[in-house]
Coordinates of all heavy atoms in Angstrom, one line a residue:
F59 N 34.9 0.2 -40.8 CA 35.6 1.2 -41.4 C 36.9 1.6 -40.6 O 37.6 2.5 -41.0 CB 34.7 2.5 -41.6 CG 34.1 3.0 -40.3 CD1 34.8 3.7 -39.4 CD2 32.7 2.7 -40.1 CE1 34.2 4.2 -38.2 CE2 32.1 3.1 -38.9 CZ 32.8 3.9 -38.0
L60 N 37.1 1.0 -39.5 CA 38.3 1.2 -38.6 C 39.3 0.1 -38.8 O 39.0 -1.1 -39.0 CB 37.9 1.3 -37.2 CG 37.0 2.4 -36.7 CD1 36.7 2.2 -35.2 CD2 37.7 3.8 -36.9
K61 N 40.6 0.5 -38.9 CA 41.6 -0.5 -39.0 C 41.8 -1.3 -37.7 O 42.3 -2.4 -37.7 CB 42.9 0.1 -39.4 CG 42.9 0.7 -40.8 CD 44.2 1.3 -41.2 CE 44.2 1.8 -42.7 NZ 45.5 2.4 -43.1
E62 N 41.5 -0.7 -36.6 CA 41.6 -1.3 -35.3 C 40.6 -0.7 -34.3 O 40.0 0.4 -34.6 CB 43.0 -1.1 -34.7 CG 43.5 0.3 -34.5 CD 44.9 0.4 -34.1 OE1 45.7 -0.5 -34.3 OE2 45.3 1.5 -33.6
K63 N 40.3 -1.4 -33.2 CA 39.3 -0.9 -32.3 C 39.7 0.4 -31.7 O 40.9 0.6 -31.5 CB 39.0 -2.0 -31.2 CG 40.2 -2.5 -30.5 CD 39.8 -3.7 -29.6 CE 41.0 -4.2 -28.9 NZ 40.7 -5.4 -28.1
A64 N 38.8 1.2 -31.3 CA 39.1 2.6 -30.8 C 38.5 2.7 -29.4 O 37.3 2.4 -29.2 CB 38.5 3.6 -31.8
P65 N 39.2 3.3 -28.5 CA 38.7 3.5 -27.1 C 37.7 4.6 -27.1 O 37.8 5.6 -27.8 CB 40.0 3.9 -26.3 CG 40.9 4.5 -27.4 CD 40.6 3.7 -28.6
M66 N 36.7 4.4 -26.2 CA 35.7 5.4 -26.0 C 35.9 6.1 -24.7 O 36.5 5.6 -23.8 CB 34.3 4.8 -26.1 CG 34.0 4.1 -27.5 SD 32.5 3.2 -27.6 CE 31.2 4.5 -27.5
T67 N 35.3 7.3 -24.5 CA 35.5 8.1 -23.3 C 34.2 8.2 -22.5 O 33.1 8.5 -23.1 CB 36.0 9.5 -23.7 OG1 37.2 9.4 -24.4 CG2 36.3 10.3 -22.4
K68 N 34.3 8.1 -21.2 CA 33.1 8.1 -20.3 C 32.9 9.5 -19.7 O 33.8 10.1 -19.3 CB 33.2 7.1 -19.2 CG 32.0 7.0 -18.3 CD 32.0 5.8 -17.4 CE 33.1 5.8 -16.3 NZ 32.9 4.8 -15.3
D69 N 31.6 10.0 -19.8 CA 31.3 11.3 -19.2 C 30.8 11.1 -17.7 O 30.7 10.0 -17.2 CB 30.4 12.1 -20.0 CG 29.0 11.5 -20.1 OD1 28.7 10.5 -19.3 OD2 28.2 11.9 -21.0
E70 N 30.4 12.2 -17.1 CA 30.0 12.1 -15.7 C 28.7 11.4 -15.5 O 28.3 10.9 -14.4 CB 29.8 13.5 -15.2 CG 28.8 14.4 -15.9 CD 28.8 15.8 -15.4 OE1 29.7 16.2 -14.6 OE2 27.9 16.5 -15.8
D71 N 27.9 11.2 -16.6 CA 26.6 10.4 -16.5 C 26.8 8.9 -16.8 O 25.8 8.2 -16.9 CB 25.6 11.0 -17.4 CG 25.2 12.4 -17.0 OD1 25.1 12.7 -15.8 OD2 25.0 13.3 -17.9
G72 N 28.1 8.5 -17.1 CA 28.3 7.1 -17.4 C 28.1 6.8 -18.8 O 28.0 5.6 -19.1
V73 N 28.0 7.8 -19.7 CA 27.8 7.5 -21.1 C 29.2 7.6 -21.8 O 29.9 8.6 -21.7 CB 26.9 8.5 -21.7 CG1 26.8 8.3 -23.3 CG2 25.5 8.5 -21.1
W74 N 29.5 6.5 -22.5 CA 30.8 6.4 -23.2 C 30.5 6.9 -24.6 O 29.5 6.6 -25.2 CB 31.3 5.0 -23.2 CG 31.6 4.4 -21.9 CD1 30.8 4.0 -21.0 CD2 32.9 4.2 -21.4 NE1 31.4 3.5 -19.9 CE2 32.8 3.6 -20.1 CE3 34.2 4.5 -21.8 CZ2 33.8 3.3 -19.2 CZ3 35.3 4.1 -21.0 CH2 35.1 3.6 -19.7
S75 N 31.5 7.6 -25.2 CA 31.3 8.1 -26.6 C 32.6 8.2 -27.3 O 33.7 8.2 -26.7 CB 30.5 9.5 -26.5 OG 31.4 10.4 -26.0
I76 N 32.4 8.3 -28.6 CA 33.6 8.6 -29.5 C 33.0 9.2 -30.8 O 31.9 8.8 -31.3 CB 34.3 7.3 -29.9 CG1 35.6 7.6 -30.7 CG2 33.4 6.2 -30.5 CD1 36.5 6.4 -31.0
T77 N 33.7 10.2 -31.3 CA 33.4 10.7 -32.6 C 34.5 10.4 -33.6 O 35.7 10.7 -33.3 CB 33.2 12.3 -32.5 OG1 32.1 12.5 -31.7 CG2 32.9 12.8 -33.9
T78 N 34.2 9.8 -34.7 CA 35.2 9.3 -35.6 C 35.6 10.4 -36.6 O 35.0 11.5 -36.6 CB 34.6 8.2 -36.5 OG1 33.6 8.7 -37.4 CG2 34.0 7.1 -35.6
Q79 N 36.6 10.2 -37.4 CA 36.9 11.0 -38.5 C 35.8 10.8 -39.5 O 35.0 9.9 -39.4 CB 38.3 10.6 -39.1 CG 39.5 10.8 -38.1 CD 39.7 12.3 -37.8 OE1 39.6 13.1 -38.6 NE2 39.9 12.5 -36.5
A80 N 35.8 11.6 -40.6 CA 34.8 11.4 -41.7 C 35.0 10.1 -42.3 O 36.1 9.6 -42.5 CB 35.0 12.5 -42.7
V81 N 33.8 9.4 -42.5 CA 33.8 8.0 -43.0 C 33.2 8.1 -44.4 O 32.2 8.8 -44.7 CB 33.0 7.1 -42.1 CG1 33.0 5.7 -42.6 CG2 33.5 7.2 -40.7
D82 N 33.8 7.3 -45.3 CA 33.2 7.2 -46.7 C 31.8 6.7 -46.6 O 31.5 5.8 -45.8 CB 34.0 6.3 -47.6 CG 35.4 6.8 -47.9 OD1 35.5 8.1 -47.8 OD2 36.3 6.1 -48.2
P83 N 30.9 7.3 -47.4 CA 29.5 6.8 -47.4 C 29.3 5.3 -47.7 O 29.9 4.8 -48.7 CB 28.8 7.7 -48.5 CG 29.6 8.9 -48.6 CD 31.1 8.4 -48.3
D84 N 28.6 4.6 -46.9 CA 28.3 3.2 -47.1 C 27.6 2.7 -45.9 O 27.3 3.4 -44.9 CB 29.6 2.4 -47.3 CG 29.4 1.2 -48.3 OD1 28.3 0.6 -48.3 OD2 30.2 1.0 -49.2
L85 N 27.2 1.4 -45.9 CA 26.5 0.8 -44.8 C 27.6 -0.2 -44.1 O 28.1 -1.1 -44.7 CB 25.3 0.0 -45.3 CG 24.5 -0.8 -44.2 CD1 23.8 0.3 -43.3 CD2 23.5 -1.7 -44.9
Y86 N 27.9 0.1 -42.8 CA 28.9 -0.6 -42.1 C 28.4 -1.3 -40.9 O 27.6 -0.8 -40.1 CB 30.0 0.4 -41.6 CG 30.7 1.2 -42.7 CD1 30.2 2.4 -43.1 CD2 31.8 0.7 -43.4 CE1 30.9 3.2 -44.1 CE2 32.5 1.4 -44.4 CZ 32.0 2.7 -44.7 OH 32.6 3.4 -45.7
P87 N 28.9 -2.5 -40.6 CA 28.7 -3.2 -39.3 C 29.6 -2.6 -38.2 O 30.7 -2.2 -38.5 CB 28.9 -4.6 -39.6 CG 29.9 -4.7 -40.7 CD 29.6 -3.4 -41.5
Y88 N 29.1 -2.6 -37.0 CA 30.0 -2.2 -35.9 C 29.4 -2.8 -34.6 O 28.3 -3.3 -34.5 CB 30.0 -0.7 -35.7 CG 28.7 -0.1 -35.2 CD1 28.6 0.2 -33.8 CD2 27.7 0.3 -36.1 CE1 27.4 0.8 -33.3 CE2 26.5 0.8 -35.6 CZ 26.4 1.1 -34.2 OH 25.2 1.6 -33.7
F89 N 30.2 -2.8 -33.5 CA 29.8 -3.2 -32.2 C 30.6 -2.6 -31.1 O 31.7 -2.0 -31.4 CB 29.8 -4.8 -32.1 CG 31.1 -5.4 -32.3 CD1 32.0 -5.7 -31.2 CD2 31.5 -5.8 -33.6 CE1 33.2 -6.2 -31.4 CE2 32.8 -6.4 -33.8 CZ 33.6 -6.6 -32.7
F90 N 30.2 -2.7 -29.9 CA 31.0 -2.2 -28.8 C 31.6 -3.4 -28.0 O 31.1 -4.5 -28.0 CB 30.1 -1.4 -27.8 CG 29.4 -0.2 -28.4 CD1 28.0 -0.1 -28.3 CD2 30.1 0.8 -29.0 CE1 27.4 1.0 -28.9 CE2 29.5 1.9 -29.6 CZ 28.1 2.0 -29.5
I91 N 32.8 -3.1 -27.5 CA 33.4 -4.1 -26.6 C 33.5 -3.5 -25.2 O 34.2 -2.6 -24.9 CB 34.9 -4.4 -27.1 CG1 34.9 -4.8 -28.6 CG2 35.5 -5.5 -26.2 CD1 36.2 -4.9 -29.2

Side-chain angles (χ1 to χ4, degrees):
F59 55 79
L60 295 174
K61 292 184 178 180
E62 56 186 21
K63 56 190 178 183
M66 300 173 69
T67 302
K68 182 168 68 171
D69 67 13
E70 60 184 11
D71 295 321
V73 176
W74 298 76
S75 66
I76 183 174
T77 298
T78 69
Q79 298 295 319
V81 181
D82 290 339
D84 215 319
L85 181 69
Y86 299 93
Y88 73 94
F89 59 93
F90 299 126
I91 306 171

